[in-house]
Amino acid sequence: MAESRRAHVPIEQRRRELTETAVTVMAREGAWALTTRALAKEAGVPHGSVHYAFSSKDELMRSVMRLDLTHLSDLVQTQQDRPIHGPEDVAAAVADLFAAYADSVMANPDKETAYFELSLMAARDERLRDLVVQSQQEYRRIMVALFNDLAERAGLRWETDVVLVVEQALTLLFGAALSWLEQRDDALFRAVLEDGADMVGRRLV
């Protein structure tokens, strides 16, 4: 009877539930442990239900990465309405964004580790690499839009191509996160990101 009721769950809701469950499996057992059978077992649904929601494992992985992008978009959204009058305000906005990301990493390190594992797996898997590249391009698009908006509201411009500024900022952000996952040094993690945000602000002219 319980499964009969589950069958009437709207497909988009089912996909969301399965995607969140997939991240749970990855966080607990490692990104490589995610299979459609493991997902079905964790979710308590028939294997066919997973294939009904996702036509392929690639589609499932795309949904997993989209969930991570949604998290970034939510963090970025918090900085889009704050008053911006100069480079100090831009640096403060970036610092707050970096700090919010750091909070999320420290609150759920296993989930962040799983996403890093996906990126490393993509280095050996051409199909997964294409999905990860698409996800990374969307990361850049979101951040470029934010950085352009911050500069415009400050009445300034970036001293170099904003794509380069964003790429360096993301490299710093994710590199610091990976270092924290290895060392668990909270103070160093926050100090690196705070200094990085200040460097970003100094790139406005």
Side-chain angles (χ1 to χ4, degrees):
M1 181 66 69
E3 180 54 38
S4 176
R5 288 196 298 270
R6 286 186 62 88
H8 297 291
V9 173
I11 186 63
E12 286 305 318
Q13 179 182 338
R14 176 64 62 85
R15 286 178 181 143
R16 174 79 182 195
E17 291 172 352
L18 287 173
T19 300
E20 291 172 348
T21 302
V23 174
T24 297
V25 172
M26 290 166 50
R28 187 182 65 236
E29 301 179 23
W32 54 83
L34 179 61
T35 64
T36 54
R37 290 192 180 279
L39 175 54
K41 181 178 179 180
E42 182 75 19
V45 300
H47 190 214
S49 294
V50 175
H51 285 285
Y52 175 72
F54 301 103
S55 61
S56 66
K57 186 175 179 181
D58 284 356
E59 187 180 355
L60 169 62
M61 299 306 290
R62 186 176 288 108
S63 184
V64 165
M65 287 182 277
R66 191 179 300 119
L67 185 62
D68 194 39
L69 284 168
T70 298
H71 175 59
L72 175 65
S73 296
D74 290 344
L75 294 181
V76 165
Q77 186 63 42
T78 65
Q79 305 305 318
Q80 291 183 329
D81 298 324
R82 65 187 295 159
I84 301 291
H85 302 294
E88 296 83 5
D89 293 330
V90 173
V94 174
D96 285 351
L97 175 62
F98 283 4
Y101 171 72
D103 288 342
S104 70
V105 171
M106 291 188 286
N108 201 334
D110 290 340
K111 182 171 75 172
E112 196 66 20
T113 298
Y115 277 109
F116 276 114
E117 288 170 347
L118 274 181
S119 294
L120 290 174
M121 287 168 59
R124 294 183 179 274
D125 185 328
E126 186 173 349
R127 292 174 62 185
L128 182 57
R129 187 183 314 135
D130 288 342
L131 295 177
V132 169
V133 167
Q134 292 170 19
S135 180
Q136 291 172 342
Q137 288 173 341
E138 187 63 15
Y139 267 118
R140 295 183 185 98
R141 186 196 66 77
I142 292 171
M143 292 292 284
V144 165
L146 173 65
F147 276 36
N148 277 334
D149 177 65
L150 292 173
E152 182 178 354
R153 286 193 282 142
L156 299 167
R157 61 180 176 81
W158 297 104
E159 65 179 4
T160 190
D161 187 347
V162 66
V163 173
L164 181 59
V165 178
V166 164
E167 188 68 20
Q168 291 170 340
L170 287 174
T171 298
L172 170 72
L173 187 64
F174 296 141
L178 183 57
S179 178
W180 179 84
L181 288 169
E182 295 167 347
Q183 303 179 56
R184 305 300 168 105
D185 188 330
D186 297 4
L188 180 61
F189 189 16
R190 294 193 182 280
V192 166
L193 293 183
E194 184 176 347
D195 188 64
D198 184 63
M199 287 190 293
V200 169
R202 292 202 299 268
R203 303 203 69 179
L204 285 164
V205 295

